[in-house]
Amino acid sequence: MSVETTRYLLRIEYDGGPFFGWQRQEGQPSVQGNLETAAEKLNGEPTPVFGAGRTDAGVHARGQAAHLDIRSDLPQRKIADALNYHLRPEPIAILSAEAVHPEFHARFAATTRHYRYRILNRRADLALDAGRIWRVPVALDVDAMKKAAAYLIGRHDFTTFRDTQCQAESPIRTLDRLSVSRSGEAIDITCSALSFLHKQVRSMVGSLVEVGRGQRHPDWILDILSKQDRTACGPVAPAAGLYLEQVDYPPAALKKGIHYGEN
């Protein structure tokens, strides 16, 4: 008896430290490569995995999304368990696997991507969070960082905060949210948008920290944004503090495979 193929939306958590990013790379460990190896063991044949977006080397995820086609008679509730079995001991976990429309696409159907950047503002070294947070030993003025962040919200040309290797056709993006909050020594910078340019989040965070350190006035952010010049950007924040928290999809996309256009 033939087994039907089902498309699944995966929600994925991973520690980006051991990998050269999400994207499969010849001769280098990647998240996508490990997922495809696990899927091939389950499927019995090569199985491509399509992510909602790429994360750079060292960047983590609590809610990355991807889709793949599985040819198995396992019940839906067992798909995630089966993939996790084949992924061990890599620091990648399938949090859920949901059957979706056969034309659903994890990248093109996404409507919002949410990132969080973690900073620990203390002098002491990291004993428990090394590789998972950015320690900034100099006192940061969060109020000044909030004022600076407000200039970046909205639709802008983000050339200043775009890596020189970025392959996006346009530097124009709409940033829906950029917030800065403190709880004790912990500072979180959260941002949301349909899509981001290569290293945009880390570039914005690095410049906001320059403001928080008192090296720059909050209005400096508006100035460098308007310059549309990569060389005007502050230092890029380390990858270790960045997390892809969540990818949003409208319910109709999961059921009907609606494509919302390239992002």
Side-chain angles (χ1 to χ4, degrees), residues 151-162:
Y151 289 126
L152 297 173
I153 298 172
R155 188 168 181 80
H156 304 289
D157 182 324
F158 282 98
T159 295
T160 298
F161 302 96
R162 176 190 193 184

Side-chain angles (χ1 to χ4, degrees), residues 25 97 158 178 213 231 246 253:
Q25 300 179 56
F158 282 98
L178 182 61
R213 294 175 59 213
T231 63
Q246 182 176 314

Side-chain angles (χ1 to χ4, degrees), residues 51-123:
R54 302 172 184 174
T55 52
D56 293 331
V59 175
H60 315 294
R62 287 194 176 92
Q64 170 69 288
H67 80 262
L68 78 171
D69 295 332
I70 295 291
R71 184 170 51 80
S72 172
D73 55 5
L74 284 173
Q76 177 173 309
R77 60 186 175 83
K78 292 289 189 180
I79 295 297
D81 291 343
L83 289 171
N84 283 329
Y85 174 82
H86 292 300
L87 282 166
R88 297 186 183 110
E90 299 294 343
I92 305 171
I94 307 301
L95 304 178
S96 66
E98 176 185 0
V100 293
H101 191 277
E103 293 183 359
F104 169 84
H105 197 289
R107 177 185 173 194
F108 298 128
T111 55
T112 312
R113 293 162 174 85
H114 306 272
Y115 282 88
R116 177 164 74 117
Y117 196 95
R118 300 177 61 208
I119 295 172
L120 196 60
N121 193 199
R122 75 179 195 193
R123 291 184 61 82

Side-chain angles (χ1 to χ4, degrees), residues 188-208:
D188 280 358
I189 300 175
T190 55
C191 52
S192 303
L194 170 62
S195 62
F196 293 88
L197 300 167
H198 188 203
K199 294 187 180 178
Q200 180 184 344
V201 177
R202 290 166 56 197
S203 297
M204 295 189 300
V205 169
S207 293
L208 290 178

